Amino acid sequence: MDKKFEEKQDIIVSFITQSALFCVYLEQLEQPIKSDFIEKMLWFLPFLYTKVHELPSLTPIMEGDPECFVTEEEYNLIRTNVENILGSDDAYLEVFMEDFRYSDEPITAFISENIADIYQELNNLVSNWQIDNDDIKHDALAICMEAFKEHWGQKLVNVLRPLHALSLESNEEIYY
């Protein structure tokens, strides 16, 4: 077992707990008010981003990757639910995508897809943590951290910009 993994258990457990709460929230969406959903995402996402940076850097110790639990149907359900809540506000113009460098046209991204991608990574992590095996837990966290560096961390910060703008629109009387 990695010494860093053992030493940072409190921080790791805090991240896993918040990840689980994020996933449960998304799984139990029942058409909340759009402003409530946006407010909840603006609480969860920066918290998760900050917590990731407190986690130890880990290298997988087992051969093969931990199990992936999120099915295509579950992914699509989360994406569709978020899309339905946001309606036409789901789409936004993205400037921090690799494809943007080579395009003369703006690139459209979707909050719902980014949220579903983040959900998929965190749900797979949380599900692997429910297995009573420290090596699986270790590797699941290591894989999730690598995926954060590769894609879901950027998606998280990208989606904050349109969510922030939407929160100001829905609460504009507060800011004047």
Side-chain angles (χ1 to χ4, degrees), residues 15-86:
F15 177 71
I16 299 297
T17 301
Q18 291 306 315
S19 297
L21 292 172
F22 173 78
C23 292
V24 167
Y25 175 76
L26 290 172
E27 291 164 355
Q28 296 177 352
L29 283 178
E30 293 183 12
Q31 294 300 330
I33 297 170
K34 185 189 313 187
S35 61
D36 292 344
F37 172 78
I38 292 166
E39 181 180 315
K40 202 69 153 168
M41 288 299 102
L42 287 173
W43 184 89
F44 270 122
L45 295 173
F47 186 86
L48 291 167
Y49 185 84
T50 302
K51 283 293 178 192
V52 166
H53 289 282
E54 295 178 8
L55 296 171
S57 179
L58 302 173
T59 303
I61 56 178
M62 297 172 43
E63 287 191 31
D65 289 339
E67 188 173 346
C68 292
F69 288 88
V70 177
T71 65
E72 186 176 347
E73 292 80 23
E74 291 168 323
Y75 175 94
N76 285 328
L77 179 64
I78 297 298
R79 186 192 54 73
T80 301
N81 286 345
V82 173
E83 180 181 38
N84 289 339
I85 292 164
L86 296 174

Side-chain angles (χ1 to χ4, degrees), residues 144-155:
C144 184
M145 298 279 298
E146 187 60 34
F148 175 82
K149 293 174 189 172
E150 291 174 1
H151 67 91
W152 75 266
Q154 187 64 56
K155 291 177 182 194

Side-chain angles (χ1 to χ4, degrees), residues 141-167:
L141 184 60
I143 299 296
C144 184
M145 298 279 298
E146 187 60 34
F148 175 82
K149 293 174 189 172
E150 291 174 1
H151 67 91
W152 75 266
Q154 187 64 56
K155 291 177 182 194
L156 187 154
V157 295
N158 290 355
V159 81
L160 285 172
R161 186 173 37 85
L163 287 171
H164 172 72
L166 290 171
S167 76

